[in-house]
Amino acid sequence: MNKDYMYFYTKISSADVPPTARTVYRALLHYANRRTWSCFPSINTLVKDTGLSRSTIIRCLKILEKNDCILKIHRTRQSNNGQTSNMYFFN
């Protein structure tokens, strides 16, 4: 099946997740690369986009990951091993 934007957009509608998690999912989807279905917005970017608090965003990301809506990959900078934004893949 060739997955497109609408596939992922409507998929979350039937997922058993709270409305705030759907909002975060759709914000992530806005940044998704349409070939790899991955993105890497920062938590602060998601806060600005959704109007939700930082703690709510983090909680929603955990819910989305637990429900297999996304896969989160922790990323670090190669130069100094400092933390950078995580990468998210849509399942």
Side-chain angles (χ1 to χ4, degrees), residues 21-81:
R22 290 183 184 141
T23 300
V24 172
Y25 182 91
R26 289 183 175 133
L28 288 171
L29 191 57
H30 174 76
Y31 293 99
N33 176 307
R34 299 299 197 263
R35 283 188 303 172
T36 63
W37 294 107
S38 64
C39 61
F40 45 92
S42 68
I43 298 293
N44 289 337
T45 297
L46 294 172
V47 166
K48 289 177 190 172
D49 286 354
T50 63
L52 300 171
S53 71
R54 183 176 179 82
S55 60
T56 300
I57 296 288
I58 292 168
R59 185 175 64 249
C60 288
L61 289 170
K62 288 178 183 177
I63 290 168
L64 291 169
E65 193 173 18
K66 180 182 174 195
N67 284 278
D68 292 325
C69 297
I70 61 170
L71 171 66
K72 181 175 80 171
I73 305 293
H74 180 76
R75 300 186 321 149
T76 56
R77 289 186 179 88
Q78 291 182 351
S79 59
N80 63 1
N81 281 342

